[in-house]
Amino acid sequence: MKRSTSGKVLCRWFGWAVRRYTQGRRPSLSGLRAARTLVLAQSAALTGAALTGWYLAHVLLVAGDLDVAALRGKALWAGLAALAAVTLTVAGVVVERWCRVRGSDGDDDETPPRSANATPA
């Protein structure tokens, strides 16, 4: 769980600088740093989601045998790890949102104009 906590803190630390820049409270920011922050946020979100599923599957596997002390402990630790993975996912999604530049939502998705001699499909 320590790794996911440190990953969450690192992701939010870098993301906060990008957020301050997009809000106009930071004078400059390297484009490479912003891109790396976005990639870190995306990987944190995807990794957290995968780990959440992994650990919840462990909880479900031992759910029928919770009367055994060893399996109850395993389910407890897997549940705590799943909670940590959820926080990693949330941190990644939040930082991804912070990296979004305002006014660029639909600019890249426009279809280019067709040429005059193109035939319709």
Side-chain angles (χ1 to χ4, degrees):
M1 273 193 300
K2 187 175 182 175
R3 288 185 185 149
S4 69
T5 303
S6 62
K8 176 180 66 169
V9 169
L10 185 67
C11 186
R12 294 205 49 178
W13 177 267
F14 287 129
W16 189 254
V18 174
R19 181 174 190 239
R20 287 177 43 108
Y21 177 75
T22 58
Q23 291 179 341
R25 288 191 259 157
R26 184 181 170 125
S28 66
L29 182 72
S30 167
L32 185 59
R33 180 173 177 186
R36 286 179 177 168
T37 301
L38 178 62
V39 169
L40 176 68
Q42 289 174 337
S43 64
L46 291 174
T47 301
L51 287 174
T52 299
W54 176 263
Y55 288 123
L56 286 179
H58 281 276
V59 170
L60 291 175
L61 282 173
V62 298
D65 299 323
L66 289 178
D67 54 339
V68 179
L71 293 179
R72 190 177 18 218
K74 183 177 180 178
L76 176 67
W77 283 108
L80 291 174
L83 270 170
V86 166
T87 62
L88 181 64
T89 303
V90 169
V93 169
V94 166
V95 172
E96 276 186 64
R97 183 105 173 143
W98 288 348
C99 290
R100 184 171 296 175
V101 178
R102 293 187 182 152
S104 66
D105 285 339
D107 295 343
D108 296 332
D109 294 338
E110 293 181 17
T111 57
R114 293 182 10 185
S115 65
N117 57 359
T119 58

